[in-house]
Every structure is written in structure tokens, then in C-alpha cells.
Amino acid sequence: MGFIQAFKGAVGGMLADQWKDFLTVPQGLPQTAALFPAVPQGTNAGRGSNTRGSENIISNGSKILVPQGYGLITVVDGRATGLITEAGGYEFNDQSPDARSVFAGDELLASTVGTSWERFKFGGRPSSQQLAFYVSLKEIPDNRFGTQSEIYWDDAYLNTQVGAVCRGSYTLRIIDPLLFVHNFVPATFISANAPVFDFGDVDNAAGGQLFREVVGSLAQAFSRYTNDPDKGNRISRIQGDSVGFAQSLSAAVEEGYRWSSDRGLAIVKTAIVSIEYDKNTRELLKDVQKADALSGARSQSFMNQAAARGVQSAGETGGGAGLAMFGAGMGAAGGMVGPAQPWAPPGQQAPQQAAPPQQAPTQQAPQQEAAPAPTDPVAKLGQYKQMLDQGLITEADYEAAKKAALGL
């Protein structure tokens, strides 16, 4: 008992056009519709054996079209009697030995579908009349979320707790139609003359429950994302990483509410519309931006520019405090500026320093000689600048002397 496959593939071929009477997807469905009854289209006109067709009823001889992106579930007394997820045309026949109950093919479904079928299938011989429902296997869009007040999470990059108000939307997919229908959809939606199960319906209590569970998982999802080393621990990437944050949100929802394992649902993508940080976080982010601007190679470039400005100022003023501060800083950083060495213009030999005069020996106890004071590079540069101003040396001589004094 079950279905016989008449043709496989997208609905709309010549054979499908010849079926003047069949059950199919109703017209005018909202994009957020997830489950809805199959409806008859056309009249029998002698082309099939189903002469008792009526709304929400499937009987022998009924022809069924399953469009791409949809699955079909037949139900008796709340239990599944058949499942089709392969697009194509089928005929229902509970007498033929060639009839099958499941056509799942290679459709993208969870690995739990086979187990779910064994769990939920109808145990006895079904009656001749069964209910048929289509279930959407597409991404269901525009499932919105938002927080009314700040949510807080620990951020590894900022090394503190972060608070924000956020809003956005996500897409979800039904990955196990049997789990979805039997464990999550209320009985009202799988009975005769059932309404459309629409996630976007504000009066749909089941959809509202999902909304609250997503909001309750946001703090954990943000924490997962920002503390994942593969994401760089940067909250700024979330709004441009719809798939990455969806994985964090889906993992948080699964851990808290078991969407995929109990309900056959999974979050696919997210879109963060806005993130509004609290006052403390905004002030902290400003400091982090300043620190980022002065980190790495950019910091070295900034120091080099500051040093150049100090040297230029010293040259213009004949010494200057700027170069003095630069020299002190460089000495603290590692003693890069050493004592000035004797210097002479190019082509001339540098004068030798005179040896200290000999002193007659005395009977006093020998004392340890004090270390000579290092030459002040700023004073030395001031002398070179005066020599340049007086025309005693050239500009090239002055630049060479400056480099020697600074140890460059």
C-alpha cells in the first residue's frame, strides 16, 4: 500500500499537463508557510479511479503532484502513512504490491528521517481515506527576533562583559518533516480542514514559542561567536557573517531547546539589522579603536614621525626640548644614542683627543676614578648648528654630524 511513482522530476512536463485531476499545493501561500493541506485541482473527467475525492481526503486512484522544494506526508489518526520528498507525479494505491510508503531519494534531509519513519509510521492497515499535507523543505525566510533590553555576554577580545540591544531575522529549514509534524505542530494543523501552519502568523503560538527561544539564546550565541578563535574574536564581523553567526545561534538553540533532534528544525542564515551597545561598551570600544590605531607597524610609523618632527624642531631652534625628550626616550628604550665621537668634515682627519696630563705620585690612598660623563648629543648638535649658521660647514656636513650624534 502507498504510492506508485508516475514520473520523477520537476512538475510541469507533458505528463503532468495530462493530469486534469490531482492534489497539489494551494495557491497564494505566504513565504513563511510551513505545513498546509493538499487541495484538489481540476475534475476527474474519467481519467482516474478516484470518484470520491473531497477536500483533505486521499483515496485510491488519487493523483498527487509534489513540486520541487516540498514534501508530502499522509496521515491517519495522527500517524504517518507515507512520506514523499522527491519532486514528481504519484498515484495513490493501497492495493498494489508495487506501491511504496516512502520516496525520500537524495533530498537534503536529516539522517534521522529513516529512524523517524520507523517511529511514527502507522502500525496497522490504514483506511481507504487519508489526510494529505504538504510540508515546505525550502528555507523559510523572515523569522524575526529582537531584544527589548540589553543582553550581556563575555567577550574574549575586549576581555570584559559586553551589553547590547539587537534585532534581526533568520531563515530556518525543516530537515526532518516527520519530527516536525509529530513533535512540534499542534494537532489542529494535522486534522481535517486544517488551517495553514504559518511561522509568520502572529496568532501562531508555536511560531511565537520559537521567537522566544531564539531571543533566549542570543546571549549564548554572541558569546560563542566572539569567543571562537576561528572568528578572530571580533564582534564587528557579525553583521557581515550571516552563515557564521547562524551556526553559533543554531548551536545555542540546539543546546538549549534541541530544535534539530526533537523538532526537525535548523537555523540556516541570519541577518543582523542593528546592534546598539550600552554606554560602557561604547566607551570601551573607543579606547580599543585608539589602541588598534597605534598597534603593530602603525605604532612604529607613528614613533618615527614623532622623532623626525623632534629632530626638525631641534634643528630649527638650535637645540630644542623636542630632541632632548627624544634622546631621553631612545636612551630608556635601549641606549641607542651613545656618546658623541670626534668628527671632522669630509676629507679631513678627525682630531685626536689629548691625553690627560701626568700628575706626580702622592702618598694618599688610591681612589677609584669616576666614570667620565657622557657627551650631551643635544649640546653637540647645537654646536654643529652654529657652525652651519656661520658657514663653517655645509648642509651635508651638518646632516652627517647629526646622524653621528644620534647614532643613526
Side-chain angles (χ1 to χ4, degrees), residues 140-159:
I140 300 175
D142 202 29
N143 300 279
R144 301 182 183 183
F145 62 83
T147 60
Q148 295 181 346
S149 58
E150 288 86 356
I151 58 174
Y152 293 90
W153 68 91
D154 293 328
D155 191 295
Y157 182 78
L158 298 178
N159 196 30

Side-chain angles (χ1 to χ4, degrees), residues 34-219:
L35 184 75
F36 36 87
V39 296
Q41 181 170 324
T43 58
N44 182 266
R47 292 180 175 83
S49 59
N50 180 10
T51 58
R52 299 169 295 164
S54 59
E55 189 175 7
N56 286 323
I57 296 298
I58 176 174
S59 56
N60 273 339
S62 294
K63 295 178 174 60
I64 297 176
L65 297 183
V66 180
Q68 195 74 38
Y70 294 96
L72 181 90
I73 296 179
T74 55
V75 178
V76 170
D77 298 332
R79 307 289 290 182
T81 61
L83 171 66
I84 301 174
T85 61
E86 294 183 51
Y90 299 84
E91 181 176 339
F92 179 76
N93 191 319
D94 64 356
Q95 305 296 326
S96 172
D98 297 327
R100 293 168 51 191
S101 298
V102 177
F103 286 89
D106 298 326
E107 295 293 329
L108 182 63
L109 295 173
S111 58
T112 57
V113 171
T115 304
S116 300
W117 169 253
E118 294 299 323
R119 177 182 173 188
F120 296 119
K121 69 181 180 181
F122 193 84
R125 181 177 178 83
S127 63
S128 60
Q129 294 181 335
Q130 306 181 64
L131 305 179
F133 297 91
Y134 287 102
V135 58
S136 176
L137 303 180
K138 304 176 181 180
E139 282 188 50
I140 300 175
D142 202 29
N143 300 279
R144 301 182 183 183
F145 62 83
T147 60
Q148 295 181 346
S149 58
E150 288 86 356
I151 58 174
Y152 293 90
W153 68 91
D154 293 328
D155 191 295
Y157 182 78
L158 298 178
N159 196 30
T160 188
Q161 192 177 69
V162 172
V165 175
C166 69
R167 58 189 180 93
S169 64
Y170 63 92
T171 66
L172 61 82
R173 176 179 283 137
I174 300 170
I175 58 174
D176 190 327
L178 295 172
L179 280 177
F180 174 69
V181 169
H182 287 88
N183 287 356
F184 186 68
V185 175
T188 306
F189 296 95
I190 51 174
S191 58
N193 301 309
V196 174
F197 183 94
D198 181 7
F199 281 117
D201 185 358
V202 295
D203 295 325
N204 184 345
Q209 178 66 26
L210 296 183
F211 167 83
R212 290 186 290 273
E213 291 176 0
V214 168
V215 172
S217 303
L218 282 175

